[in-house]
Amino acid sequence: MDIMEVEGVVKSFERGIYVLKDVSFSLSRGQILGILGQNGAGKTTLIHIILGLILPTEGVVRIFGKVLTPGTRTDILRRMNFASNYVFLPQTLTLWENLMVYAIMYEVREPSQKCAEVLKMFGLYEKKNQRAKTLSSGQMMRLCLSKAMINDPEVLLLDEPTAGLDPEIARKTRQLLVGLSRERGLSVIYTSHNLWEMQEVSDRVLFLDAGRALMEGPSSELIGRYDVKNLEELFFKVIESRK
């Protein structure tokens, strides 16, 4: 059963500028969907619509069987979470304080235990009493990922989650996300400019170009259909075909 359905989503701003044009896809429980596209393709706007931060001009987003509206948004988001390389947590709070704030917001049972669990998950427990401003960019991203797991989400939205991480930590993060998806049925929507990473992690990929969904499907199926060796070749072949 699909945990999320995006149907005919359009987003336009003033002067007839369209950021998304008739985008549709679905996400099943325990599936990782990678969203690919150049800068300005509409990836982040699509994630913001799924989070209910902005409203689509047209189309419907249905999550957990409910249409996402201002009235249903709170109930839906209790079962989701988000992390981005472009969003930082409060710098003057310690790591522990940051996570406790979100644990309380999400009404997490045994919040202290959960904060310790997610900090250990991302290798930050020893830094729990440091202020966030002392972290490197990679450590801050790991703190954001820790926050994203604080409520045991059923759907996780990740915007460039491994950007700024050193190769070993990025590898462990990818392995952790895949493991959580398989073990807990966690559904993930994932954007990245790292096409090798996307091929390793994603069950399916969605190609966006200038706001349009060009293709969607399993990586291996798309690679075979277009007679290329990997997602990187496929990406550039698709982009070149649009010029």
Side-chain angles (χ1 to χ4, degrees), residues 13-39:
F13 294 99
E14 58 185 33
R15 300 179 183 176
I17 298 174
Y18 283 82
V19 181
L20 294 171
K21 307 171 185 177
D22 195 25
V23 174
S24 299
F25 66 89
S26 61
L27 180 70
S28 300
R29 188 173 297 278
Q31 188 176 74
I32 300 178
L33 174 69
I35 301 180
L36 296 172
Q38 296 177 300
N39 288 335

Side-chain angles (χ1 to χ4, degrees), residues 87-99 102 119 124 127-144:
V87 178
F88 294 132
L89 299 178
Q91 301 278 297
T92 56
L93 298 182
T94 66
L95 279 64
W96 187 265
E97 289 167 342
N98 264 295
L99 293 184
Y102 283 96
L119 285 171
L124 292 173
K127 298 180 182 294
K128 65 179 182 178
N129 293 320
Q130 289 184 208
R131 295 191 186 279
K133 65 182 179 182
T134 67
L135 299 180
S136 67
S137 60
Q139 290 168 338
M140 177 59 80
M141 187 64 237
R142 281 189 276 156
L143 178 60
C144 290

Side-chain angles (χ1 to χ4, degrees), residues 156-170:
L156 188 57
L157 304 180
L158 301 175
D159 196 7
E160 299 285 342
T162 60
L165 300 185
D166 65 59
E168 179 62 16
I169 295 296

Side-chain angles (χ1 to χ4, degrees), residues 68-215:
L68 179 62
T69 66
T72 62
R73 180 174 182 262
T74 298
D75 287 341
I76 289 173
L77 292 188
R78 286 183 186 278
R79 301 166 64 182
M80 298 171 60
N81 217 311
F82 167 72
S84 170
N85 188 51
Y86 310 109
V87 178
F88 294 132
L89 299 178
Q91 301 278 297
T92 56
L93 298 182
T94 66
L95 279 64
W96 187 265
E97 289 167 342
N98 264 295
L99 293 184
M100 282 297 291
V101 167
Y102 283 96
I104 292 168
M105 286 174 58
Y106 280 102
E107 299 178 344
V108 172
R109 293 182 180 179
E110 300 181 349
S112 294
Q113 180 178 326
K114 191 63 182 180
C115 290
E117 177 188 324
V118 295
L119 285 171
K120 290 174 182 177
M121 184 183 294
F122 290 98
L124 292 173
Y125 186 75
E126 299 304 319
K127 298 180 182 294
K128 65 179 182 178
N129 293 320
Q130 289 184 208
R131 295 191 186 279
K133 65 182 179 182
T134 67
L135 299 180
S136 67
S137 60
Q139 290 168 338
M140 177 59 80
M141 187 64 237
R142 281 189 276 156
L143 178 60
C144 290
L145 288 167
S146 300
K147 184 277 296 182
M149 295 304 301
I150 199 72
N151 62 324
D152 290 320
E154 296 171 58
V155 176
L156 188 57
L157 304 180
L158 301 175
D159 196 7
E160 299 285 342
T162 60
L165 300 185
D166 65 59
E168 179 62 16
I169 295 296
R171 181 182 67 84
K172 289 181 178 179
T173 300
R174 290 193 298 270
Q175 291 174 341
L176 176 63
L177 291 173
V178 171
L180 290 171
S181 177
R182 303 295 180 265
E183 295 165 13
R184 302 186 187 181
L186 174 65
S187 302
V188 182
I189 293 180
Y190 189 107
T191 76
S192 176
H193 285 100
N194 187 326
L195 300 179
W196 177 85
E197 174 180 271
M198 189 70 76
Q199 185 169 332
E200 178 187 22
V201 171
S202 301
D203 299 305
R204 303 177 69 84
V205 293
L206 170 70
F207 276 83
L208 289 180
D209 180 54
R212 294 188 182 278
L214 296 185
M215 62 180 72

Side-chain angles (χ1 to χ4, degrees), residues 43-56:
K43 303 186 298 296
T44 299
T45 298
L46 180 57
I47 285 182
H48 286 175
I49 287 174
I50 294 169
L51 286 169
L53 297 175
I54 58 177
L55 296 174

